[in-house]
Amino acid sequence: MSVRVHSAPWVLTGGPSTPVAERGSATSNRGERDGAIADGAIALDGNTLLAVGPRAEVEARFGKAERLDAVILPALVNAHLHLELSHMKGWVAGGEGLPAWIQLFVAARPRTREGEPEQAMAMAAEDLVRAGVAAVGDITNTLASLRPLAEAGIAGTLFHEVFGFAPSRFEASLAAARAARAAAGAPPPGLRIVESPHAIYSTGAAALEALLRGGPGSLHLAEDPAERDFCATEGGGAFGRMYASLGAHFEELRVAGRSPVAAVAAHLRPHHLAVHCVDLDDEDVALLAATGATVVLCPRSNSYIVGRLPRLEALLAAGVPLAVGTDSLASSPSLAPLAELALLWREHPAVPAARLLPLAWNGAAVGASHVGRLVPGAAPGVLAAPFDVARVDDPFEYVVSKFGGEERAFTWLARQSPASPLTPDSSDRSSR
Ligand SMILES: [Zn+2]
């Protein structure tokens, strides 16, 4: 065992939500508050975390630390992207709403040249690593993103989309998805593939329900007010006109309801991701909260396509589990989840950075529960965010504003690994 010990003015312990209430007051006299340890340290064996806690305690057990002028924090999660669209960066103009954007997207995609997606995906996967990402929720139609994600050492879930309004079209899509999955072979440790619906405006009600009943999945939901019209009018509004102009017709549309959230809430479970959730009324927020599903916010994409931002305060107040994603490079300038949080932080001055950063630590939302929190015995991926100032008073704000707002590259202290050489029994709890 070759142990490395790093200390820093701040160590953030992570977790999907502010863990201070769970930890109680016992930690407050040890320099820890709200998941932040002042003058903290970590001990690592390879990629496995041996201990995290106050520097004095970790040094007493593992020896003198190498002092870093930085914030040490768990690696991050991008819970919604489409890696396979990376080559389409700058191809599709936004600002006219989702139906118009989809039409431009459909028109632009055939411009794709052979080999272009693979090249762009490899570069985008490297960018994810530079942005501190250790796990993703990646949307794919082709499974082509499996290889670049695996090669970059990224964990998480590939949500393999199955489309089709008409039952015959859906069955064909499902068969094609299963054939592609069989051909792709078993995913490497840490990555899983699940069949997933796309959105209420692209999947018939019966198929949507069957896919959601089948287990974990991800659904684009309430991204644009046009979805509300589409549900309320059973196929009308701007989406109805879009399908008409594309020459598409659907035989069995019954995704109907007061709103897109109301149309699917009965089928949403805690293992589902509801992505975007921009066009929500109060009733929708309450419905979502009751499902336990995780809402994935992609505010830069929403701002680009729809010109609106999600109702962050309402979602936080309702206790809706949250995560953050970037959407694809076709609608977002980068794949850095913290850049999304920096936008939310600027637009919602009343929400402290300490409440936002946990959105980027929700590994469980993408089936990678070892990512996003510093738990001894696990290998979550550990980052350092170096200082360019003498002193940092709020480490959450420093990370969100500098490493999110300016997209500075993180230093990796350890990479994620789903399997750890240590058993849970040997994990260190003494520093908690
Ligand atoms: Zn998306």
Side-chain angles (χ1 to χ4, degrees):
M1 185 159 93
S2 82
V3 178
R4 307 181 323 274
V5 186
H6 299 286
S7 69
W10 291 106
V11 175
L12 306 183
T13 51
S17 58
T18 309
V20 67
E22 297 161 27
R23 293 200 179 144
S25 57
T27 52
S28 60
N29 58 3
R30 302 166 75 174
E32 181 173 352
R33 60 170 170 86
D34 297 359
I37 305 169
D39 194 16
I42 59 168
L44 292 161
D45 178 17
N47 287 322
T48 303
L49 194 67
L50 299 174
V52 54
R55 179 175 54 84
E57 287 182 17
V58 176
E59 284 189 331
R61 295 183 57 212
F62 295 98
K64 185 139 182 65
E66 181 204 348
R67 174 96 178 159
L68 301 175
D69 230 9
V71 181
I72 291 175
L73 69 157
L76 308 173
V77 179
N78 183 339
H80 184 78
L81 70 153
H82 305 241
L83 197 72
E84 69 193 16
L85 305 181
S86 296
H87 63 290
M88 294 182 71
K89 184 171 186 172
W91 286 20
V92 191
E96 302 293 327
L98 184 60
W101 192 87
I102 290 173
Q103 276 185 279
L104 292 172
F105 174 87
V106 168
R109 202 171 187 181
R111 273 168 46 198
T112 303
R113 290 193 307 269
E114 182 147 353
E116 211 171 18
E118 291 72 19
Q119 210 176 359
M121 279 192 287
M123 284 167 61
E126 284 173 26
D127 285 344
L128 281 168
V129 174
R130 257 191 297 278
V133 172
V136 294
D138 181 53
I139 310 297
T140 177
N141 305 141
T142 63
L143 295 180
S145 54
L146 182 60
R147 191 166 154 193
L149 288 171
E151 285 177 354
I154 293 171
T157 301
L158 277 80
F159 295 101
H160 195 187
E161 279 181 345
V162 185
F163 289 93
F165 263 128
S168 58
R169 184 100 181 263
F170 177 75
E171 287 305 323
S173 177
L174 194 59
R178 288 180 178 164
R181 189 168 166 185
L191 278 168
R192 66 175 179 176
I193 302 169
V194 303
E195 284 162 4
S196 194
H198 168 254
I200 51 122
Y201 52 82
S202 60
T203 317
L208 194 65
E209 189 183 331
L211 285 169
L212 291 175
R213 234 192 349 240
S218 174
L219 181 71
H220 295 85
L221 188 66
E223 182 174 357
D224 186 293
E227 282 172 65
R228 190 176 291 269
D229 297 343
F230 190 69
C231 289
T233 60
E234 298 197 27
F239 274 112
R241 291 194 293 278
M242 177 189 89
Y243 282 117
S245 79
L246 291 172
H249 54 90
F250 27 91
E251 297 137 40
E252 287 223 346
L253 171 67
R254 289 204 193 84
V255 180
R258 188 188 58 75
S259 70
V261 171
V264 296
H267 311 303
L268 290 178
R269 299 284 176 271
H271 57 216
H272 290 134
L273 303 183
V275 180
H276 297 304
C277 295
V278 171
D279 177 38
L280 302 179
D281 59 26
D282 290 345
E283 210 175 313
D284 294 330
V285 173
L287 274 172
L288 273 173
T291 68
T294 296
V295 168
V296 184
L297 304 180
C298 308
R300 291 189 302 170
S301 176
N302 302 144
S303 176
Y304 183 73
I305 295 176
V306 189
R308 285 173 64 164
L309 291 174
R311 294 180 61 196
L312 176 67
E313 272 109 340
L315 291 164
L316 284 171
V320 174
L322 296 176
V324 67
T326 56
D327 221 344
S328 80
L329 290 177
S331 61
S332 181
S334 78
L335 300 180
L338 289 197
E340 305 289 335
L341 297 186
L343 172 62
L344 293 177
W345 182 65
R346 284 195 302 272
E347 295 291 326
H348 300 273
V351 179
R355 287 207 79 183
L356 287 172
L357 207 42
L359 272 65
W361 284 327
N362 197 341
V366 297
S369 53
H370 65 291
V371 174
R373 52 167 78 207
L374 300 186
V375 175
V382 186
L383 305 171
F387 289 178
D388 65 348
V389 289
R391 181 190 154 93
V392 166
D393 291 322
D394 183 335
F396 297 97
E397 197 172 302
Y398 182 75
V399 170
V400 169
S401 65
K402 304 292 183 186
F403 286 77
E406 299 174 13
E407 296 199 37
R408 294 184 188 175
F410 286 101
T411 303
W412 285 85
L413 300 178
R415 297 299 302 273
Q416 74 80 25
S417 171
S420 163
L422 299 179
T423 64
D425 294 332
S426 66
S427 70
D428 169 31
R429 311 222 172 261
S430 66
S431 60
R432 296 254 57 95

